[in-house]
Every structure is written in structure tokens, then in C-alpha cells.
Amino acid sequence: MKDLATLGQRIRHFRTEAGLTLDQLGAAVGVAASQLSLMENGRREPRLSLLSAVADELGIPVGTLLESAPPSERAALEIELERAQTASTYRELGLPPLRASKAMTDDVLRAIVGLHREIERRAREAVATPEEARRANTELRALMRTRNNYLPDIEVLAEEELRAVGHSTGALTHRSVSRMAERLGFELVHVDDLPHSARSVTDLENGRIYLPPASIPGGHGLRSMALQAMAHRLLGHAAPTSYAEFLRQRLEINYYAAACLMPLTQSLEFLRDAKNDRNIAIEDFRDAFGVTHEAAALRFTNLATEHLGITLHFLRVGGDGSISKAYENDDLPLPVDATGSIEGEIVCRQWSAREAFERTNRTTEYYQYTDTPAGTYFESTQTGSAAAEEFSITLGVPFAESKWFRGRETKVRYRSTCPELSCCKRPASELSERWSGRAWSSAKVHAHIFSPLPAGTFPGVDDRELYEFLEAHAGQ
């Protein structure tokens, strides 16, 4: 039972309708009145057997008590008030909690709840700045690193929901997703007039999840969006009161969707077999469950350390070399700004995430070894395109872990010489001024060393001088 406050309100509503006191109902079902009071106030979760006894005594089906809607407008306002006063926005004001007593009129209660809504709205506006977003992203990434990007409670929840609809093997079907929605009281409806910025819209009152028709007739998108919308209900999410909370909720619903599309038990069976064969490949994992390459790579980060004992890193990088998403627990030296944020930072040109763009054949994964100041890494990268930009998805591991992966026999190896990864970010004009007027960019020098450019690119300069050039100026 995810919402004890609503359950408690429903028990109280039907008890008072039946004209029973707490003592009378408690005596009838064999529990103390104080225990019933805790249940009605949402402080204790009753056993199902006790709920059945209460429902029988009140003359209603037990399902009526378990309905998700508050029994009255007054009850809905009391629940909202209690939740608002437990939120960090209110606690930070240092004010004492205010209980909705019987003497408080409905008009007064509406006014107080309205004030709380306005406080939360202004708090959301105040924190929704680029600086706050970057800080919140950085903190969440650091937190997930300590957890190996693994959320066991959501894994259990996903397995329970899949088991309830009889899914046990193979890719999750659209029919199974629809049945999962029906279990929560939702119908999946496709419409062509959703707001451009909305992936889906959930109508709680009428029990509908509206999805765009672009996902029909199939594919990863429809299932994932529907599962994400359901996750909000299953995980008991309320409206976020901060950007950090918004990010946490988004991470959790994405995790739930991935755990349903690539279930824990099936995924581990597949990946352990691949590891035993020393043939782990994200493209195989992707195809086995009918998801995108990015979804498969991210799901692998959830499971690799916790269940396979493999540390790793994940990168989504744009065609210009900028990071849009990243995770690591293998000490890969990610480029960061002064606040520790990685979003928008440029990765070294010698990393697989950028080298893969140079390939003519992009239908399969690209493999390479990359030497960095923190050690050597084996990386596999798949490129793609979305809207107006190219992107690459990279999954990498320390050299010692490469023995488990397909592509480890590759002879491609690059050396990333920049301790701070900064020389690859400086414009050629700045480099020219700094380095005696020579129009050298470090990217061009890197490219020449590992894949010689045409003769005359650097007149009168040999490779030894280029190496010395990088060693002397890489950190500038």
C-alpha cells in the first residue's frame, strides 16, 4: 500500500458514516482503538486480514477501502496539507506543523493549502536555474556512483509487476505493458495533440495515460514512455518541490522502465552467459530485449558492478565532442567545470566517443583501447543521429576487464595525453597566440601522431617535436 494517508482517510470516512467510534470498531475487529487511530492518521500500515475485518464490520468491500482517491474534498485537502508540511520547502521555514482539526472550516483549510501551493511554486521557480540544475546533476551522479548505479528496491518492484502479468521471458510486449497499466487502473490512449514538450500526459481522474501516436505500431519508445508514466504512481511520487527532487524522480522512473524492459533475472542470465563466453557486447544485449543501444548500455551500468564485478563508464557525446550524459565508477578522468559538472564539457579527441565518428561503416560497434593519465581503458562505441545532431554511445572498462568483452582483440589504440583534457578544448586561434604563432591545434597534432596527416601538414617538423610539443603544452 503506497498511500497510507489516503487509506487512513477512507477508513475514518466509512467508520464515521457507519456511526462507530474508534473504541467500538476496535472492539469489533479485535484491536486497540489507539492502533486504529494510527492507521487512520496514516502512521501504520494494517495487515490485509485486519483490513478485511474492518471492511466487513463497516459493510463495504475491502476494495472500497483500497481505492486510491480520497473519500471527500475535505479529506483530499487534509492529505495535501499534511504532505506539504513534511516537504523540505516548509521545514526550511522553521514553522511548527499545523494540524487540520475538526474546528477548522473547509474555507480556512482551502486557504492554507493554497498558501502552501504558492510557496512550493515560488520555490520551484527560484531553484530552476542553470547553476542549480548543474549542481543537482552533479550531486545525483555522485550519489549513484556510491550505489554502483543500482537501485535494488526498484528492481524488486519491476520483477513483481512483470510477474503479475505473467511475463517471464523474451522482450516485453506492448500487450504486457497495457496489462500492467490496467492493473493500476490506467488505459493507454494515443492522441496526436499532446504538447510538444510532453512525452506523455497522465489523467489521474479518468485513469488514462495519453501517448503520442508516433510510437505506434511498435518500438522501444511506446513501452518506455508508458512504463515511466506508471512508475510515478507505483513509486508514490508527489509533485517535486526542488530541481534535485525532479531529477531524482526522473532517474527513478527511467530506472523502473529499464528494469521492466530488461528484467533483472533475464538480463543477468544473458550477461553471465556472455561473460562466461568472454563475449559481452552491448549490441547483443540490445537486440535480445528489443531496446535502443543507449538503453542497453545504461542498463548494463546498473548491473555490471553489482552483479558481474565489473567497474565501467558510460558516455553519450555529441558530434562536437560535448558530453550530454555520463557515468563512471572506474576512475575515468571525465572533464569537469569548476563546479564539478560534466554536462557540456568536451572529451578528448582521442577517446573512442569521438574517434568513432571518423568511421565510414557505423553499422556495428567500434572498439579501441585508450591510454589516459588514469590508466588504459577498453571502449566500445556505437554512433547514431537524432534530430539535427550526431551522437555516440560509449561503454568502457579498465584494461583488466576487457577480457570479458567482444572486440578486445582490436589493434586500435590511442593515447590521450592531456592530464586535464584541456588542450583539445582550446580554439586554434588561442593556441596560435600562446605557442609562438604556430597554427597548431592539439587535435591536429594528436591526429597526425596516431593517423599521419598528408605530408606538409607540419612543414619542417618531425614526430618527436610533436610529442615534445604535446608534453610541454598539454596542460595549458
Side-chain angles (χ1 to χ4, degrees):
M1 281 165 273
K2 297 293 182 182
D3 192 349
L4 296 182
T6 300
L7 174 62
Q9 287 282 356
R10 295 189 71 83
I11 294 173
R12 178 183 294 130
H13 173 78
F14 289 107
R15 176 180 61 78
T16 55
E17 269 200 347
L20 297 174
T21 66
L22 283 169
D23 287 328
Q24 290 170 332
L25 181 58
V29 297
V31 297
S34 60
Q35 298 300 307
L36 279 179
S37 179
L38 288 173
M39 295 172 197
E40 290 189 355
N41 288 311
R43 301 289 186 270
R44 176 162 297 180
E45 182 174 353
R47 301 185 308 277
L48 187 58
S49 58
L50 177 56
L51 271 184
S52 297
V54 168
D56 289 343
E57 191 64 29
L58 297 177
I60 58 174
V62 69
T64 301
L65 288 180
L66 293 172
E67 288 179 9
S68 59
S72 65
E73 181 195 4
R74 170 81 184 200
L77 289 170
E78 290 183 5
I79 292 171
E80 186 173 353
L81 176 62
E82 182 177 353
R83 287 176 175 165
Q85 292 186 104
T86 59
S88 58
T89 308
Y90 184 77
R91 293 200 307 270
E92 288 170 0
L93 299 176
L95 298 174
L98 177 64
R99 187 173 179 80
S101 65
K102 292 182 180 179
M104 185 182 292
T105 67
D106 289 358
D107 286 341
V108 170
L109 185 55
R110 288 191 193 96
I112 295 173
V113 169
L115 286 172
H116 277 286
R117 290 171 181 168
E118 181 61 17
I119 290 171
E120 291 181 3
R121 185 190 68 79
R122 295 190 181 196
R124 286 195 299 270
E125 282 187 358
V127 300
T129 64
E131 293 78 13
E132 173 67 13
R134 292 173 74 83
R135 183 187 66 79
N137 264 311
T138 300
E139 290 177 354
L140 185 59
R141 179 166 53 85
L143 174 64
M144 293 307 294
R145 191 183 195 275
T146 66
R147 297 179 177 179
N148 291 326
N149 218 27
Y150 186 68
L151 298 176
D153 290 346
I154 296 182
E155 297 284 357
V156 171
L157 178 63
E159 294 259 286
E160 289 174 350
E161 294 299 309
L162 292 170
R163 193 159 44 244
V165 297
H167 178 74
S168 60
T169 186
L172 184 64
T173 66
H174 294 270
R175 173 59 184 156
S176 292
V177 174
S178 295
R179 291 178 61 203
M180 293 169 73
E182 290 168 5
R183 275 176 39 81
L184 292 173
F186 287 115
E187 175 189 6
L188 302 183
V189 180
H190 301 278
V191 295
D192 57 9
D193 57 351
L194 281 180
H196 179 70
S197 60
R199 290 169 56 83
S200 65
V201 172
T202 301
D203 180 353
L204 295 175
E205 183 175 348
N206 297 300
R208 293 173 180 170
I209 297 175
Y210 294 100
L211 299 165
S215 300
I216 301 174
H220 168 71
L222 167 63
R223 295 174 296 158
S224 182
M225 284 189 287
L227 290 166
Q228 289 168 20
M230 287 183 256
H232 280 302
R233 169 64 66 86
L234 285 165
L235 297 170
H237 288 165
T241 57
S242 66
Y243 195 78
E245 187 176 356
F246 164 76
L247 288 179
R248 178 186 60 78
Q249 290 186 4
R250 187 175 68 176
L251 181 146
E252 289 178 351
I253 65 171
N254 285 334
Y255 195 109
Y256 173 78
C260 289
L261 292 169
M262 292 160 277
L264 178 64
T265 301
Q266 296 170 239
S267 294
L268 289 180
E269 181 180 358
F270 181 90
L271 292 173
R272 282 169 176 156
D273 285 346
K275 184 181 180 185
N276 289 338
D277 294 339
R278 297 177 179 249
N279 194 35
I280 296 176
I282 299 301
E283 58 187 352
D284 287 356
F285 190 37
R286 170 198 71 198
D287 295 343
F289 292 93
V291 297
T292 66
H293 198 88
E294 181 174 3
L298 280 170
R299 182 61 173 150
F300 187 75
T301 68
N302 300 149
L303 307 177
T305 305
E306 197 73 16
H307 292 282
L308 304 178
I310 298 173
T311 58
L312 74 173
H313 62 266
F314 164 91
L315 294 166
R316 177 177 170 129
V317 171
D320 61 352
S322 62
I323 298 175
S324 60
K325 191 183 299 181
Y327 168 80
E328 63 79 26
N329 66 356
D330 60 0
D331 298 322
L332 178 75
L334 293 173
V336 297
D337 66 12
T339 69
S341 175
I342 59 170
E343 286 75 22
E345 295 299 299
I346 306 297
V347 302
C348 179
R349 288 183 181 273
Q350 302 313 309
W351 287 12
S352 174
R354 295 186 69 179
E355 285 293 335
F357 288 119
E358 303 303 319
R359 287 197 308 159
T360 302
N361 177 15
R362 300 186 184 181
T363 57
T364 59
E365 290 181 287
Y366 164 78
Y367 307 110
Q368 79 167 50
Y369 289 96
T370 308
D371 298 323
T372 78
T376 299
Y377 295 86
F378 169 75
E379 297 180 305
S380 65
T381 299
Q382 180 69 63
T383 56
S385 59
E389 71 161 0
E390 290 186 310
F391 65 90
S392 66
I393 303 298
T394 297
L395 195 291
V397 296
F399 179 83
E401 305 288 1
S402 64
K403 60 188 176 183
W404 310 116
F405 289 81
R406 180 186 303 164
R408 61 187 177 276
E409 69 283 351
T410 182
K411 303 300 182 183
V412 180
R413 188 164 189 160
Y414 288 92
R415 181 185 178 204
S416 176
T417 61
C418 319
E420 302 296 335
L421 307 177
S422 57
C423 75
C424 290
K425 297 192 289 183
R426 296 185 180 277
S429 58
E430 182 180 342
L431 294 169
S432 298
E433 293 173 4
R434 185 181 293 271
W435 297 339
S436 305
R438 286 180 171 177
W440 297 0
S441 75
S442 62
K444 185 182 290 187
V445 175
H446 277 300
H448 177 66
I449 289 173
F450 292 105
S451 182
L453 297 174
T457 301
F458 301 101
V461 180
D462 61 23
D463 283 355
R464 180 64 260 163
E465 185 174 354
L466 295 181
Y467 273 118
E468 292 173 353
F469 166 83
L470 285 176
E471 291 170 357
H473 301 288
Q476 294 185 3

